[in-house]
Amino acid sequence: MTAPKTLYDKIWEAHVAHKSEDGTCLLYIDRHLVHEVTSPQAFEGLRMAGRKVRAPEKTIAVPDHNVPTTLDRAKGIDNEESRIQVEALDKNAKDFGVHYYPVSDVRQGIVHIVGPEQGWTLPGMTVVCGDSHTATHGAFGSLAHGIGTSEVEHVLATQTLIQKKSKNMKVEITGKLRPGVTAKDITLCVIGETGTAGGTGYVIEYCGEAIRDLSMEGRMTVCNMAIEGGARAGLIAPDETTYQYCNGRAHAPKGAKWDTAVAYWKTLFTDEGANFDKVVTIKGEDIAPVVTWGTSPEDVLPITAAVPSPNDFDGGKVDAVKRSLEYMGLQTGTQLSDIMIDTVFIGSCTNGRIEDLRAAAAILKGKKIKDGMRAMVVPGSGLVRAQAEEEGLADIFKEAGFEWRLAGCSMCLAMNPDQLAPGERCAATSNRNFEGRQGRGGRTHLMSPGMAAAAAITGKLTDVRELM
Amino acid sequence: MDKFTELSGIAAPMPLINIDTDMIIPKVFLKTIKRSGLGVNLFDEMRYDNDGNEIPDFVLNKPQYRNSEIIVAGDNFGCGSSREHAPWAIKDFGIRCVISTSFADIFFNNCFKNGILPIVLPKEQVDLLMQDAEKGSNARIQIDLAIQTVTSSDGVVMKFEVDNFKKHCLLNGLDDISLSLEKSDSIETYETKVADIHPWV
Ligand code: SF4
């Protein structure tokens, strides 16, 4: 009998194309996603060496980071450097013959939303992208992680990646979640528990009843932020929820191929008794709606708490907390729910899917945002946007006073015109609250879409349960 | 790729923990389609004020650290985005080695692809090197990749671990794409097998 294996062990073993004596492997890559920021130097490298893309049919490109999300974007991109970067991707996609969703395509959107939506991401696959939030695709039970530009070039040229196996970590969320608590709260709470380096060297498998109960959208939110916990990847074993989501998508298998695929996917689970090098268990009922107060995603507290003191921490964290409270303009002891905000951003690859928009709209329905509040909803893809319009969510947002944007990364990172000015404070559904992430001097509080919608109404960080 | 064999240089102390890639190179500088020229914007938001003037207190602006070739950093250096612009900026500035107790995974890999050596040492040793780095330009830290040692300015020798394959590539300045392409036969065999058993991939 073979030793019991984890889900990660199984996917890993199924993709080793070559193994050297020292254990270094060439891991075969099934799907390579590409966006405009981290790929130009890689394509240039190929050109200079006279190399081709080995598997253009497994390579999918879409511009997202630099793309304007205002309604007039057909006019083109004002910022010259941004425009050049997007044009470089247009050209590279054409020259090298990879699948491409240009800005003008209704299917365009954030790469991590487009991949699953189009059925490119499927269980058991290896998925990489020159982007740390590639972890998102782990929600399908695929091994998915971010790579650097040199590695992008390596994958383009060889369809493999030089890898050593990571260790196995299990994060189990037991029982049920309480009302008002979402996948975003789970993933933030896990990072609060393990710290931003807690997953370094590991691939995390999320499991437990609360994870099983999540929709695919929710699972993607959880896996998306595995990287914020330092893990190489996060994954969730596929089940009926996964198959249902995949079935019928443009690039998912059909007919007999579908049946053989599902038969294989059903073997993708962690065997009884398999070894995990690290285990974290959290009770679902202990998770509250949370927000971040600092400049690291590990700076997480329930909305009912107060801003901590640097003295509550040890070691290097004491200075880091001092620095972050100063940057965030916060005083120890202030109730989190007393912190005033001026901007709300709903979107990103963490929370830009249809379910996220539904959750936010449910809070906003029939309400208005606070006077003077700048609030925007940026759907994760053109198709999410179209669906939200069909379901009437767009009207709810617009009537509440939100801007209803086109798809892209937008204010998740300050690479396009959507930015915070110094000192502005934003309730954001994205994934990073680093200094300057949403614009130099801008202050970010991370939270779930429902919490962000609640904050838009009251003008301060708010416990969503009070508005439910 | 540039080789890395030995280095004897000034080390800049950056004890802050969780220095992320947004701090190393803010996203406004990711719009380039080249790898070079990012050194002037390394640590941009910590290094310059809103008007673009140097902030004198920032370590790399201090006269004794302007020619640093090493950074000694707090825990979890390089966390955040996968941008290889971070090691490109570090290299372009002239830094060839970063020493910390821990690094974020993607940043760590990216360093090796760009001729930068990231060294992981236990906390006590990083603390000792941090004190050494505080001495400024009088203290030179020495690194020898072949025998895997860091030597402080006082002659304390510390061994470090490094993956054999990565070490080999760095010592010889090897391009790993060519090395992998030599294994094309294995890749092709793998592709044929999978096309047969998992035709949907
Ligand atoms: S939405 Fe944000 S985190 Fe996601 S890919 Fe875009 S910039 Fe990166």
Side-chain angles (χ1 to χ4, degrees):
Chain A
M1 218 183 86
T2 53
K5 292 174 188 164
T6 64
L7 172 59
Y8 169 51
D9 297 339
K10 291 181 183 177
I11 303 176
W12 172 274
E13 284 168 20
H15 288 86
V16 175
H18 183 274
K19 187 168 182 175
S20 305
E21 275 160 26
D22 70 349
T24 305
C25 293
L26 281 184
L27 198 69
Y28 193 81
I29 300 305
D30 297 324
R31 294 290 180 262
H32 185 191
L33 307 173
V34 174
H35 67 65
E36 81 278 18
V37 181
T38 53
S39 68
Q41 294 86 351
F43 282 112
E44 199 48 35
L46 286 190
R47 270 197 194 90
M48 278 164 29
R51 290 173 177 142
K52 292 192 310 209
V53 174
R54 182 179 176 95
E57 73 285 2
K58 294 174 182 170
T59 310
I60 298 100
V62 57
D64 53 8
H65 285 59
N66 276 287
V67 170
T69 59
T70 41
L71 300 180
D72 59 355
R73 80 169 171 204
K75 279 193 338 213
I77 304 177
D78 285 341
N79 180 288
E80 188 181 342
E81 290 169 301
S82 291
R83 198 188 66 236
I84 291 174
Q85 220 168 39
V86 173
E87 284 171 0
L89 188 63
D90 291 339
K91 178 167 165 44
N92 288 329
K94 184 155 164 270
D95 288 0
F96 290 92
V98 308
H99 296 279
Y100 191 46
Y101 302 99
V103 177
S104 56
D105 193 311
V106 67
R107 296 166 299 177
Q108 179 270 344
I110 304 168
V111 65
H112 308 307
I113 292 191
V114 174
E117 200 168 69
Q118 293 301 319
W120 290 112
T121 309
L122 296 169
M125 286 184 161
T126 46
V127 181
V128 296
C129 175
D131 192 284
S132 50
H133 292 100
T134 311
T136 313
H137 308 264
F140 291 80
S142 64
L143 176 60
H145 58 85
I147 54 178
T149 298
S150 297
E151 291 176 314
V152 169
E153 187 178 337
H154 191 281
V155 177
L156 289 171
T158 69
Q159 204 58 29
T160 65
L161 202 56
I162 302 171
Q163 288 279 287
K164 273 213 167 146
K165 199 161 172 236
S166 305
K167 290 181 284 183
N168 279 291
M169 174 167 170
K170 172 159 98 171
V171 172
E172 186 176 14
I173 314 292
T174 60
K176 301 271 181 215
L177 298 178
R178 292 185 182 273
V181 177
T182 67
K184 185 63 165 287
D185 300 295
I186 295 181
T187 203
L188 283 171
C189 181
V190 170
I191 300 159
E193 187 90 8
T194 62
T196 49
T200 305
Y202 295 94
V203 165
I204 296 176
E205 179 175 346
Y206 298 95
C207 60
E209 187 184 351
I211 297 289
R212 285 271 143 256
D213 284 350
L214 293 174
S215 65
M216 283 318 290
E217 284 86 352
R219 294 179 190 186
M220 284 188 255
T221 303
V222 170
C223 290
N224 174 274
M225 291 191 71
I227 183 72
E228 256 57 65
R232 168 160 295 174
L235 37 80
I236 296 174
D239 60 9
E240 284 303 325
T241 307
T242 323
Y243 315 146
Q244 265 177 32
Y245 179 98
C246 295
N247 197 359
R249 305 233 161 224
H251 296 276
K254 314 260 164 356
K257 276 191 192 168
W258 171 261
D259 298 335
T260 43
V262 174
Y264 172 60
W265 297 343
K266 288 192 169 162
T267 68
L268 299 174
F269 55 85
T270 290
D271 297 331
E272 193 70 33
N275 179 55
F276 284 96
D277 305 280
K278 184 170 177 178
V279 177
V280 173
T281 308
I282 296 175
K283 280 196 202 144
E285 61 183 24
D286 288 350
I287 303 176
V290 291
V291 293
T292 62
W293 48 268
T295 55
S296 166
E298 70 191 15
D299 300 339
V300 176
L301 280 173
I303 179 67
T304 47
V307 176
S309 155
N311 301 327
D312 301 343
F313 299 86
D314 329 305
K317 191 71 188 168
V318 177
D319 284 337
V321 170
K322 275 188 201 147
R323 186 186 166 96
S324 88
L325 292 184
E326 192 177 315
Y327 180 87
M328 293 297 289
L330 293 175
Q331 302 294 327
T332 296
T334 305
Q335 282 299 315
L336 293 173
S337 57
D338 286 338
I339 297 173
M340 306 297 290
I341 53 146
D342 42 56
T343 310
V344 173
F345 169 62
I346 296 178
S348 87
C349 58
T350 316
N351 285 125
R353 284 170 285 268
I354 191 69
E355 188 177 86
D356 303 312
L357 303 194
R358 286 184 196 136
I363 301 297
L364 289 166
K365 190 160 190 186
K367 303 219 171 65
K368 293 268 184 241
I369 61 173
K370 182 129 191 276
D371 269 356
M373 178 75 55
R374 170 186 179 205
M376 61 171 93
V377 188
V378 186
S381 73
L383 294 181
V384 169
R385 183 180 148 92
Q387 188 176 349
E389 288 186 334
E390 224 177 87
E391 292 182 15
L393 308 180
D395 292 331
I396 296 177
F397 286 119
K398 286 190 267 189
E399 279 158 24
F402 269 80
E403 275 183 72
W404 177 242
R405 294 292 193 95
L406 297 177
C409 294
S410 181
M411 211 194 252
C412 176
L413 95 173
M415 262 196 94
N416 49 61
D418 307 333
Q419 304 198 6
L420 295 181
E424 282 185 331
R425 189 183 294 281
C426 180
T429 65
S430 46
N431 44 49
R432 287 195 174 132
N433 52 351
F434 297 158
E435 287 179 23
R437 171 73 182 184
Q438 294 191 285
R440 192 180 174 119
R443 294 160 172 168
T444 304
H445 296 274
L446 302 175
M447 63 196 72
S448 70
M451 289 281 285
I457 296 168
T458 62
K460 54 192 183 110
L461 301 183
T462 299
D463 190 335
V464 63
R465 292 170 296 194
E466 290 166 13
L467 295 181
M468 279 167 61
Chain B
M1 189 182 77
D2 291 346
K3 288 185 189 179
F4 184 108
T5 51
E6 290 170 317
L7 175 66
S8 164
I10 299 163
M14 297 191 76
L16 188 65
I17 62 167
N18 293 333
I19 292 181
D20 58 67
T21 53
D22 279 73
M23 288 183 186
I24 298 172
I25 185 86
K27 59 248 112 219
V28 280
F29 304 108
L30 308 189
K31 292 183 182 174
T32 174
I33 54 170
K34 299 203 285 281
R35 288 174 205 244
S36 54
L38 289 164
V40 287
N41 303 112
L42 176 67
F43 297 114
D44 196 84
E45 290 179 10
M46 300 161 105
R47 199 164 145 203
Y48 306 104
D49 65 20
N50 286 338
D51 302 321
N53 302 311
E54 285 189 3
I55 299 171
D57 277 353
F58 181 66
V59 58
L60 296 179
N61 289 335
K62 295 182 184 167
Q64 65 270 37
Y65 292 113
R66 285 185 173 265
N67 296 317
S68 297
E69 291 176 272
I70 301 166
I71 292 176
V72 183
D75 311 343
N76 198 28
F77 188 84
C79 57
S81 129
S82 68
R83 62 190 68 160
E84 201 160 316
H85 308 68
W88 293 337
I90 287 174
K91 174 89 174 295
D92 198 57
F93 180 90
I95 306 267
R96 295 297 307 277
C97 173
V98 186
I99 302 171
S100 178
T101 54
S102 58
F103 291 88
D105 189 43
I106 304 176
F107 176 83
F108 188 76
N109 281 329
N110 283 343
C111 282
F112 285 99
K113 311 276 178 183
N114 291 283
I116 301 168
L117 176 64
I119 298 179
V120 179
L121 288 174
K123 176 121 185 31
E124 310 77 64
Q125 296 186 338
V126 173
D127 287 348
L128 193 138
L129 291 169
M130 193 71 78
Q131 287 166 19
D132 213 21
E134 301 283 357
K135 296 178 195 158
S137 47
N138 300 323
R140 296 185 90 82
I141 292 176
Q142 286 177 39
I143 291 140
D144 188 331
L145 176 56
I147 54 167
Q148 298 175 217
T149 57
V150 180
T151 309
S152 75
S153 64
D154 310 328
V156 182
V157 180
M158 300 161 225
K159 274 295 250 182
F160 63 87
E161 294 295 320
V162 58
D163 177 83
N164 268 333
F165 177 74
K166 292 190 167 107
K167 174 179 170 180
H168 174 69
C169 290
L170 214 48
L171 281 175
N172 299 293
L174 296 177
D175 158 19
D176 57 16
I177 296 183
S178 323
L179 293 176
S180 296
L181 284 173
E182 286 170 14
K183 297 170 190 136
S184 289
D185 285 353
S186 306
I187 301 175
E188 226 168 283
T189 312
Y190 177 88
E191 281 173 334
T192 316
K193 181 187 86 184
V194 169
D196 208 31
I197 57 171
H198 296 162
W200 65 87
V201 174

